[in-house]
Amino acid sequence: MIQKIPCFCDNTFSAEIPETVDLDKEPGRLQEILDGTFLNFICPACGKKHKPEFFIRVMWPSKKTELEVFTEMERGEFYRRKKEAPAGALKKETVIGYPELAERLMVLRDELEPAVVEALKYFLYLKAEEKYPDDEPEIWYNGLADGKSLEFHIHGLKKEEVAVMKIPFSLYSQYSDDYKKRPKSEIFAALKVRSYTSVKNTMRPEALK
């Protein structure tokens, strides 16, 4: 699919955007998404790098998962039920924005349960808000550390610094067991809006609830 990409230099150029990415057929795409080079383009007129977001579908059959990836600008439309992941043979889920896409693929790669990782992030947000009430942090899962803990990166607490928080795998296992026993308990229910599981569902304004 050809898309037009406008640049600040007043030039507009065309780029080929895939409608669907199959990570089993194109394994190199996974690393591109994780390292942030996926769908990066250079303006031919001024050389500026662009990282636009477009709706795409990411399939990972070996993980029995298909992700409908909406752009951050479509978040409100999703909550207003104007965007939806359709039903199908694979487990279809929604993520919003390419950073969430990268994080979700990392979680799946590490064979973790997304709802449990999001629950851990929720409690990290609560702790950050208690300690830094005037800040607006962003918390992202960043992989397993030596197989013994889950590493999270916290942005926005200090300028140009990233805080690293490690959660013992034993705590993840505890939450995982609770999720298996009570997947509709209050915390896990709060994290899910239809096909979209994210801690950001707990932060949306009243107008989008």
Side-chain angles (χ1 to χ4, degrees), residues 156-174:
L157 298 181
K158 293 184 179 180
K159 188 176 181 180
E160 299 181 355
E161 290 187 19
V162 177
V164 176
M165 176 67 71
K166 294 183 179 180
I167 301 296
F169 198 86
S170 57
L171 184 59
Y172 167 84
S173 298
Q174 179 182 328

Side-chain angles (χ1 to χ4, degrees), residues 66-77:
E66 180 175 334
L67 298 174
E68 302 282 337
V69 187
F70 298 122
T71 70
E72 190 61 48
M73 292 182 65
E74 294 174 305
R75 180 177 293 276
E77 293 183 62

Side-chain angles (χ1 to χ4, degrees), residues 27-141:
R29 290 291 200 182
L30 175 60
Q31 188 55 44
E32 289 180 7
I33 295 171
L34 295 184
D35 65 22
T37 60
F38 178 64
L39 298 187
N40 285 192
F41 303 99
I42 302 296
C43 174
C46 69
K48 179 178 176 57
K49 180 188 288 187
H50 291 264
K51 300 177 68 172
E53 289 191 358
F54 297 97
F55 172 83
I56 59 169
R57 181 177 291 105
V58 177
M59 302 176 64
W60 205 348
S62 61
K63 299 292 185 182
K64 297 182 174 61
T65 297
E66 180 175 334
L67 298 174
E68 302 282 337
V69 187
F70 298 122
T71 70
E72 190 61 48
M73 292 182 65
E74 294 174 305
R75 180 177 293 276
E77 293 183 62
F78 172 81
Y79 287 130
R80 296 185 183 98
R81 293 182 177 271
K82 294 182 179 180
K83 299 287 182 177
E84 189 68 78
L90 294 177
K91 181 182 179 184
K92 293 191 178 183
E93 299 178 352
T94 294
V95 294
I96 300 178
Y98 289 8
E100 274 196 359
L101 169 62
E103 181 186 53
R104 179 59 54 84
L105 294 180
M106 200 179 302
V107 168
L108 294 173
R109 178 202 64 187
D110 294 344
E111 300 185 346
L112 302 175
E113 169 54 54
V116 177
V117 173
E118 293 300 312
L120 291 172
K121 286 170 61 178
Y122 173 74
F123 288 106
L124 288 177
Y125 270 108
L126 289 181
K127 288 185 177 181
E129 183 180 5
E130 181 181 325
K131 192 171 182 180
Y132 303 96
D134 297 327
D135 295 321
E136 296 182 358
E138 287 277 348
I139 302 176
W140 300 96
Y141 172 72

Side-chain angles (χ1 to χ4, degrees), residues 183-201:
K184 295 184 179 180
S185 62
E186 183 177 0
I187 176 57
F188 294 118
L191 295 169
K192 190 172 182 65
V193 174
R194 306 191 307 280
S195 56
Y196 181 43
T197 301
S198 173
V199 70
K200 292 189 176 180
N201 286 327

